[in-house]
Amino acid sequence: MTTALALTRPQKAAAILVAMGKPAASRLLKFFKQDELKALIEGARLLRTIPQADLERIVAEFEAEFTEGAGLLDSADRMDTILNESLSPEEMSAIMGDKKFEPVPEGPAPIWPDLEKLEPARLGAFLSGEHPQTSAMVLSKLAPQTAANVLLTMEKPMRSQIIKRMVTMANIPDAASRIVENQLRVSVLSQKASRDTSAGQERVASMLNEMAKPELDDLMQDLEQAGTPDLAGVRSRLFAFDDLPLLPQKARVLLFDGLSTELVTLALRGAAPELAESALSAIGARSRRMIESELGQGSEGIALADIMAARKSISVAAIRLSREGAFELPSTQAAAAEAA
């Protein structure tokens, strides 16, 4: 039988590990250095049966030294590692009481979700000035729809260079990915954070889109004369049902392809011939005949509020498709022409 007074420090450590049991001890052994493991093994070979009272004194001695800071571990980082490896978050919460335990994050959160919220044209303009390999890497990290929208804002030669590199791209080293992320965080996201007026533009545009076309045009003219800032961003979010003839044929086909004939029929009740034709010319022949047959029966008994609500639904659909990059609204095209 061995007494606590006769044990060396390695033997005491071995005794504590044995008392902890195999699962817990095995998790801790990986954190010992090679020479420490050797001393533990040699100490354990010389161990004999230890009385329970002596084992309790060894544990108390260990607790006292740990409380005083006996240098049992190289650093707090080592302790974090042991805790993360040995205990679940639920076990840590039980130990820490009301203090919530969360592992220390290794670095900044990934930037890709934030990049996907940017305007495709903004990100495309930035990537156009970068090396195609860098741009290919960035787009490979984004959602396919977002990456496609960004590509469509870039010049065709640049698109081809980027896609060619995306096809042949291998796994990206973490170090290279971090360098690009840091550059984007500084060059793109920091500018967005310092002056992001998109939310305000969205609120104003939502309000203006509730107005009738004549009132909307008058107000936009007043805002332009008053020098309202970021008016182009507001204008790019505006679209009224009466603007349908200004959309290119391809855009109108995309718009009406996802709309029901019932909604289109209701929206075209009482519409001017030119406006009705701009919608009907973008619809299949069979659907067009059905809608024209319904319109030929007149609009008696149809509430004006229902007609306006249907037109509003189509306007909202056009704005949504524009925001997704499917096409540009006529207000955006006009703004670009004025700038040129």
Side-chain angles (χ1 to χ4, degrees):
M1 183 177 293
T2 304
T3 63
L5 295 177
L7 294 179
T8 64
R9 290 176 65 84
Q11 287 176 321
K12 292 177 181 179
I16 291 175
L17 289 172
V18 172
M20 291 174 63
K22 184 178 177 180
S26 63
R27 288 197 294 266
L28 291 179
L29 282 175
K30 70 179 71 175
F31 300 104
F32 286 87
K33 298 175 182 177
Q34 187 172 355
D35 57 339
E36 293 171 338
L37 285 173
K38 182 178 179 182
L40 280 173
I41 293 171
E42 292 176 349
R45 285 174 180 170
L46 300 175
L47 277 179
R48 296 294 181 267
T49 302
I50 302 174
Q52 181 65 31
D54 285 350
L55 181 59
E56 291 176 358
R57 280 195 291 270
I58 293 172
V59 173
E61 180 185 339
F62 170 79
E63 291 176 344
E65 291 192 3
F66 186 86
T67 303
E68 294 172 2
L72 298 176
L73 297 171
D74 291 341
S75 66
D77 291 337
R78 291 285 301 277
M79 177 55 79
D80 284 343
T81 304
I82 291 175
L83 293 175
N84 289 332
E85 290 284 342
S86 304
L87 300 174
S88 68
E90 291 77 13
E91 291 171 327
M92 279 304 303
S93 296
I95 293 172
M96 300 296 287
D98 294 334
K99 297 178 181 178
K100 185 178 180 182
F101 175 78
E102 295 181 356
V104 178
E106 296 183 356
I111 65 170
W112 314 116
D114 290 330
L115 287 180
E116 292 177 357
K117 298 176 184 178
L118 294 176
E119 296 285 342
R122 178 188 176 88
L123 186 54
F126 174 80
L127 294 179
S128 295
E130 298 297 315
H131 190 281
Q133 187 70 21
T134 302
S135 300
M137 189 276 274
V138 172
L139 292 180
S140 70
K141 297 283 190 177
L142 304 180
Q145 181 64 61
T146 303
N149 293 341
V150 173
L151 271 177
L152 291 174
T153 67
M154 306 169 78
E155 298 293 333
K156 289 185 177 180
M158 187 64 169
R159 291 186 212 167
S160 301
Q161 289 293 322
I162 292 174
I163 293 175
K164 181 173 70 174
R165 284 167 169 78
M166 291 180 73
V167 170
T168 59
M169 182 177 293
N171 291 332
I172 304 164
D174 290 340
S177 180
R178 283 194 296 270
I179 291 173
V180 175
E181 284 189 57
N182 290 336
Q183 180 63 29
L184 288 168
R185 193 173 281 111
V186 172
S187 302
V188 180
L189 294 183
S190 62
Q191 296 177 13
K192 179 179 183 289
S194 62
R195 191 178 181 276
D196 186 358
T197 61
S198 58
Q201 295 169 11
E202 189 71 41
R203 285 193 296 271
V204 172
S206 297
M207 177 183 65
L208 297 181
N209 277 322
E210 296 294 333
M211 299 182 178
K213 180 67 173 174
E215 289 81 3
L216 172 60
D217 290 341
D218 288 343
L219 182 54
M220 286 300 295
Q221 185 175 1
D222 293 340
L223 293 174
E224 189 171 351
Q225 292 175 353
T228 304
D230 300 318
L231 197 57
V234 175
R235 186 180 285 112
S236 68
R237 293 167 167 79
L238 297 178
F239 186 79
F241 186 76
D242 291 348
D243 292 328
L244 277 176
L246 302 179
L247 279 177
Q249 175 70 6
K250 182 179 179 181
R252 281 183 276 126
V253 170
L254 285 172
L255 172 60
F256 284 98
D257 183 57
L259 302 177
S260 67
T261 55
E262 292 80 4
L263 178 66
V264 176
T265 302
L266 183 57
L268 292 180
R269 298 281 186 186
E274 179 187 4
L275 181 57
E277 179 59 27
S278 67
L280 295 172
S281 63
I283 297 173
R286 182 172 178 274
S287 296
R288 174 169 182 156
R289 287 195 297 270
M290 292 174 57
I291 293 174
E292 287 179 327
S293 175
E294 287 289 330
L295 294 177
Q297 298 177 18
S299 303
E300 186 176 352
I302 307 296
L304 178 60
D306 293 338
I307 296 175
M308 300 308 295
R311 294 181 179 184
K312 175 65 176 178
S313 297
I314 294 177
S315 300
V316 170
I319 295 171
R320 176 179 54 79
L321 289 172
S322 172
R323 305 304 297 164
E324 293 173 356
F327 52 77
E328 288 188 352
L329 297 179
S331 53
T332 305
Q333 298 169 357
E338 292 174 4

